[in-house]
Amino acid sequence: MSEGVVTETGVRARTRRAILDAAIEKLTKQPSATLADIAAAADVGRTTVHRYFPERSDLIDAVSLDALDKISQSTERARIDDGPVPAALARLCQEYFEHADVFQLLFTMPDLMTRPEWKEESEDDRVLLGLIERGHREGTIDPAMTKEWLLQLLWSLLYTAWEMVQEKTPKHEALTLCMRSLEKVIAVD
């Protein structure tokens, strides 16, 4: 019997994931997308979406938490406390690059980041600012580049790389250009 439960749980998890992924994709292009639009994109019925997320606000909350979770996991995988700051920034760029869909949604719907769970748990900009400060202290980042400037530049470079991929530039090429640009900007003369 437990085998059936595991299968059902797997199916439920895959269905939930499909709905969340479809919501991220749909909402990025059309923030006013309805549950019916998202259901069609997920290739499930509207009633299925309602079983998982009774109201649109429930789905939006779940998308917000999912985005926060992906960003937190990416930051953790980047091991930003290990090694020199330029290498840590490169690892972070690589991790964040893989979540273009999430970040583009956050650019499209910035109100997702005003929810309470973001205020309590999200430290992404503070973490990045701290990392840049460490690079300044260690002398591995050009001190003429302020932390605020570099933070905005990092997001701009990533956004540009994501846009290039949308315009059919191969992912590896866009990421390489992003990281090379960052490397040149932070380099100490």
Side-chain angles (χ1 to χ4, degrees):
M1 277 195 170
S2 65
E3 189 174 311
V5 172
V6 170
T7 302
E8 182 180 328
T9 302
V11 169
R12 285 189 56 78
R14 284 190 299 277
T15 302
R16 185 176 194 283
R17 180 80 261 154
I19 293 168
L20 287 172
D21 290 344
I24 290 169
E25 181 182 339
K26 246 352 215 180
L27 292 169
T28 298
K29 294 175 184 152
Q30 181 187 1
S32 62
T34 65
L35 289 181
D37 296 332
I38 292 165
D43 202 23
V44 299
R46 200 167 136 234
T47 56
T48 300
V49 173
H50 280 286
R51 268 197 309 272
Y52 288 83
F53 308 102
E55 302 290 330
R56 187 176 191 278
S57 62
D58 297 321
L59 178 58
I60 298 298
D61 287 343
V63 165
S64 178
L65 286 172
D66 186 60
L68 182 60
D69 187 50
K70 285 180 178 178
I71 294 167
S72 296
Q73 287 178 13
S74 292
T75 303
E76 188 175 315
R77 277 192 307 271
R79 304 175 333 275
I80 60 171
D81 294 327
D82 294 351
V85 172
L89 278 172
R91 287 191 303 271
L92 194 62
C93 276
Q94 288 175 313
E95 288 292 335
Y96 283 0
F97 182 78
E98 292 305 317
H99 294 295
D101 56 346
V102 169
F103 286 106
Q104 287 178 321
L105 175 63
L106 295 174
F107 290 138
T108 303
M109 296 178 67
D111 59 309
L112 289 174
M113 295 181 289
T114 62
R115 295 166 184 275
E117 60 271 7
W118 282 83
K119 288 185 187 340
E120 295 169 11
E121 296 181 33
S122 177
E123 298 180 358
D124 295 317
D125 283 353
R126 285 189 303 266
V127 166
L128 281 168
L129 289 171
L131 186 60
I132 294 166
E133 286 173 346
R134 183 173 66 122
H136 284 150
R137 283 192 310 274
E138 293 173 353
T140 56
I141 292 182
D142 183 350
M145 296 289 158
T146 67
K147 61 185 180 182
E148 295 81 11
W149 177 259
L150 286 177
L151 177 68
Q152 293 301 317
L153 183 68
L154 175 68
W155 291 122
S156 298
L157 287 170
L158 282 166
Y159 186 81
T160 301
W162 295 323
E163 287 294 309
M164 294 298 294
V165 170
Q166 297 233 332
E167 294 174 14
K168 307 299 184 224
T169 299
K171 280 180 74 171
H172 72 277
E173 185 178 326
L175 178 59
T176 298
L177 290 169
C178 174
M179 292 178 49
R180 177 101 190 240
S181 299
L182 180 64
E183 179 183 312
K184 287 181 174 283
V185 168
I186 66 174
V188 178
D189 292 331

